[in-house]
Amino acid sequence: MRKRNKSTLTVLFLIGAFALSGCSSSKISDKITGDTDKAIEESDSKAKKDEKKDTKKVDGSLEKPNFTANLEGQVQYVVGKEADPLTVEASVGDGGTISYQWYSNNVNSNGGGEQVEGQTQNTYVPDTSAEGTRFYYVVATNTKEDSISKSTSATVEVQILPEGSWVEDGGYKKYKLQDGSFVTNAWKDIGGKHYLFDENGNMKVGWYQDGNGDWYYMNPDGNMARDTEVEGFKIGSDGKSEDKKKAEQQSAGQ
């Protein structure tokens, strides 16, 4: 549509120019419009030929890629930890070119999955940013001239596990990591909340003063309080209570 609008403006301009020279505007218009339409048709025809040229057809007689290194089994990673690359390898003996496309699925099937955007190499590092289970597979394509043939790999199950789990021990809550150890003497972000654990791995609750003299309040569920007021003391967005700190200093005669 834009081409034709632009061409129409050109026609009107040329008609005006030729009219000044005494030529018949109708003849000029017919001539220019005809030439313009012809040029558009030729351009459209060329575009269709180029499009057809880029189209590959599936050829059942063309050798299908043979997976010499395939996917299988199950792998597990802790959420947020970098995974090892998944790897496949396919080959053909007819001189064709092999290309790859990775797919992700929520069921154990090497069909009906979603393309993993941009993953067209023979290796892929799965995403571990969120907990859950995904199945991956690869479609290998043999391209020879204008023909293609495809083969699909087996699947591999990738489980992204939580970093740890809560356990009860002697009336205290602890956070046990996947390696069997406990979080001890440290702050820990779990599920978007901030927790504190003592040297025995016990989750702390109530008021807590760190080595810098700053005061924090750990809610009954262990989550650090923010932007609130506890026992008349204001607590900031960083979890610190300047009110509590000043009161304790005054009480100690500092």
Side-chain angles (χ1 to χ4, degrees):
M1 183 62 72
R2 289 183 176 177
K3 286 183 178 179
R4 191 170 293 279
N5 288 340
K6 185 175 180 181
S7 299
T8 302
L9 291 174
T10 303
V11 169
L12 293 175
F13 174 78
L14 292 175
I15 288 174
F18 278 101
L20 292 176
S21 64
C23 296
S24 169
S25 60
S26 60
K27 291 182 178 180
I28 295 171
S29 176
D30 291 342
K31 179 66 170 65
I32 295 176
T33 301
D35 290 344
T36 302
D37 289 342
K38 182 178 179 182
I40 293 174
E41 289 175 0
E42 290 176 350
S43 177
D44 291 342
S45 177
K46 183 177 184 300
K48 289 179 180 179
K49 288 181 180 179
D50 291 341
E51 182 179 349
K52 184 176 181 181
K53 183 178 180 181
D54 292 336
T55 301
K56 306 296 184 182
K57 63 179 180 180
V58 177
D59 187 346
S61 64
L62 188 64
E63 181 182 355
K64 290 186 176 182
N66 175 45
F67 281 96
T68 55
N70 211 330
L71 301 173
E72 63 177 352
Q74 176 195 88
V75 291
Q76 296 178 334
Y77 298 101
V78 173
V79 64
K81 303 297 183 181
E82 185 175 359
D84 295 326
L86 302 175
T87 303
V88 297
E89 191 67 54
S91 64
V92 290
D94 62 359
T97 301
I98 298 292
S99 59
Y100 302 90
Q101 176 60 60
W102 287 83
Y103 288 80
S104 172
N105 211 340
N106 59 356
V107 295
N108 189 7
S109 172
N110 64 351
E114 299 177 353
Q115 282 191 9
V116 183
E117 186 176 353
Q119 298 303 319
T120 57
Q121 303 299 315
N122 70 316
T123 62
Y124 168 60
V125 179
D127 181 16
T128 62
S129 61
E131 298 173 21
T133 299
R134 300 294 295 181
F135 298 88
Y136 294 93
Y137 63 92
V138 182
V139 173
T141 301
N142 175 24
T143 302
K144 188 175 183 182
E145 297 178 350
D146 293 334
S147 300
I148 61 173
S149 64
K150 299 183 177 184
S151 291
T152 304
S153 74
T155 62
V156 60
E157 179 181 358
V158 178
Q159 293 186 355
I160 309 302
L161 306 174
E163 188 177 10
S165 58
W166 290 100
V167 297
E168 293 278 351
D169 183 18
Y172 293 96
K173 291 185 69 174
K174 297 184 176 184
Y175 195 70
K176 187 177 183 179
L177 301 174
Q178 288 292 338
D179 63 4
S181 65
F182 293 91
V183 178
T184 58
N185 201 31
W187 292 94
K188 183 68 176 175
D189 286 324
I190 304 171
K193 297 181 179 180
H194 209 44
Y195 298 87
L196 178 63
F197 298 88
D198 66 17
E199 64 276 8
N200 297 313
N202 300 326
M203 182 190 75
K204 296 185 71 66
V205 296
W207 287 105
Y208 164 74
Q209 185 182 31
D210 68 9
N212 296 321
D214 293 318
W215 285 89
Y216 302 83
Y217 184 79
M218 314 308 293
N219 289 311
D221 66 354
N223 177 34
M224 185 183 74
R226 304 174 189 264
D227 294 318
T228 187
E229 187 174 303
V230 176
E231 299 175 359
F233 301 111
K234 291 182 179 180
I235 299 175
S237 59
D238 59 357
K240 297 179 182 180
S241 175
E242 293 297 326
D243 289 354
K244 177 70 172 175
K245 184 176 183 179
K246 290 177 182 178
E248 292 296 325
Q249 290 174 342
Q250 290 173 358
S251 176
Q254 298 180 2

